[in-house]
Amino acid sequence: MTKEKIGEATENFPDPAGIAFKGKYYAFSTASGIGVVPFATADTPQGTYKLRGNALPHTPEWSKATDFWAPDVVVWGDQALLAFSAPSKENGKRRIGIATTKSATAKFEARDYPFIISDTEGGVIDPAFFKDHNTGRYYLLYKNDGNDIKIPSHLWMIEIDSNAELIGSNPKKLLTDLSIPNPPHNGTERVVSTIENPELAVAPDGTYVLFFSAGNYGTSHYFTGYATSKNLYGPYQYVAPLLTTHSTGGIVVGPGGLDIFGGTHVMLHGWVNGIGYHRGGHRALYTGQLSWKNGHHPYIENLKLNQ
């Protein structure tokens, strides 16, 4: 594992989330030695992103104090919202929490209750905010961590308001890992072992495009795929891989954790200096540009390692 330092470029920065705020760019990641929600800043969307500290200095009472995963951040109205996944003190299952601040430049304060709980489905991880500009309504996407207890993993969505309070009570299932085949260059398994890291966008022709990561994150077979639907709640049909180790020519190894920010910019992670933490590797931050062809087919250009 790397030993990162404040003021230097990010090294280990998995599951990144980016925002643009008042002419500056912010990135947040899964926990590291910097804190439970490390954050970095840059003057341009492509970086270089330099570490600034821990965005969540005080963890909520319901959670264990370490091992926070895959945050997402948005600025809606006069506040910034942070969603994260953390293990509960009650039983260790992961739950989604919410933290807020009046400025993206300030530290977040966590609410004292978990926001989404689904212990019988393996827990919940990988929250992602989404505002449907067609309707002005707000949503949160997430994954049930089914692979942790050997059941299927699904990507879910539930309606919220602009303060990240629940409106809906019944989440909608958007996609399941049982429906996603492995790409031809990703081994011999018929379907992927899991799907995670949902990210929803609206293509130029109005199609809803659901991005996700798939497979074992600790391997080079981890990849980013996408599914599409003409309706917000689906059904979503898997289309194709978007980024694989093979399709990037090895520029990004195990590309996953895709996040869209500033409209057309993306962040993701990939392995460097070895594949797997046990081999001395770490998941580094990459940036790129999101473009579209034929109305709703995404592609990523200008992939760049943050350094």
Side-chain angles (χ1 to χ4, degrees):
M1 186 72 70
T2 61
K3 293 184 178 179
E4 300 184 282
K5 296 180 180 178
I6 301 296
E8 294 185 358
T10 63
E11 291 188 35
N12 187 55
F13 209 78
D15 307 312
I19 60 169
F21 182 73
K22 293 186 177 180
K24 205 169 186 68
Y25 298 88
Y26 296 78
F28 305 80
S29 88
T30 280
S32 72
I34 296 297
V36 295
V37 183
F39 79 100
T41 64
D43 293 326
T44 66
Q46 297 81 20
T48 300
Y49 287 85
K50 294 184 178 182
L51 285 163
R52 301 303 179 196
N54 178 18
L56 189 65
H58 304 293
T59 56
E61 282 297 317
W62 61 265
S63 73
K64 296 181 179 180
T66 60
D67 209 21
F68 283 44
W69 287 358
D72 196 31
V73 177
V74 292
V75 178
W76 285 344
D78 64 350
Q79 67 179 341
L81 302 168
L82 165 69
F84 57 87
S85 174
S88 72
K89 289 178 179 176
E90 180 183 348
N91 59 15
K93 292 296 183 185
R94 290 190 166 274
R95 299 171 177 179
I96 289 172
I98 298 291
T100 63
T101 181
K102 286 299 182 181
S103 169
T105 62
K107 298 299 176 70
F108 288 81
E109 293 185 8
R111 294 175 180 167
D112 60 3
Y113 54 90
F115 188 56
I116 304 289
I117 302 173
S118 186
D119 293 348
T120 59
E121 296 290 317
V124 283
I125 66 172
D126 297 343
F129 294 107
F130 173 68
K131 180 179 180 181
D132 188 348
H133 291 283
N134 293 326
T135 63
R137 300 172 84 164
Y138 303 85
Y139 301 88
L140 186 77
L141 290 86
Y142 59 92
K143 169 200 173 178
N144 75 286
D145 203 12
N147 51 298
D148 186 55
I149 58 172
K150 296 181 172 55
I151 66 171
S153 296
H154 312 290
L155 303 183
W156 302 84
M157 182 171 67
I158 194 165
E159 188 171 0
I160 61 176
D161 65 19
S162 61
N163 293 312
E165 298 288 358
L166 287 175
I167 291 179
S169 59
N170 296 311
K172 304 296 184 182
K173 186 190 303 181
L174 303 183
L175 198 66
T176 176
D177 57 11
L178 300 176
S179 63
I180 309 301
N182 258 303
H185 299 281
N186 274 18
T188 58
E189 292 183 357
R190 186 178 65 85
V191 297
V192 299
S193 57
T194 194
I195 55 175
E196 52 200 17
N197 296 115
E199 178 77 356
L200 191 58
V202 180
D205 69 357
T207 301
Y208 292 96
V209 180
L210 177 61
F211 300 90
F212 58 88
S213 305
N216 183 342
Y217 80 88
T219 72
S220 62
H221 297 324
Y222 200 55
F223 71 96
T224 298
Y226 71 100
T228 61
S229 175
K230 289 298 183 182
N231 299 302
L232 175 63
Y233 286 113
Y236 283 83
Q237 298 295 322
Y238 175 63
V239 178
L242 178 67
L243 294 170
T244 69
T245 302
H246 181 81
S247 73
T248 67
I251 292 174
V252 186
V253 177
L258 182 96
D259 186 71
I260 303 167
F261 67 104
T264 60
H265 306 292
V266 299
M267 291 181 172
L268 62 148
H269 68 240
W271 288 104
V272 297
N273 299 332
I275 301 171
Y277 291 118
H278 64 291
R279 292 191 173 95
H282 57 272
R283 289 180 288 169
L285 172 65
Y286 288 80
T287 57
Q289 189 80 23
L290 172 65
S291 298
W292 303 89
K293 56 186 175 183
N294 300 325
H296 58 263
H297 293 289
Y299 62 99
I300 306 296
E301 300 179 291
N302 304 321
L303 286 167
K304 172 182 174 287
L305 174 64
N306 189 63
Q307 57 186 352

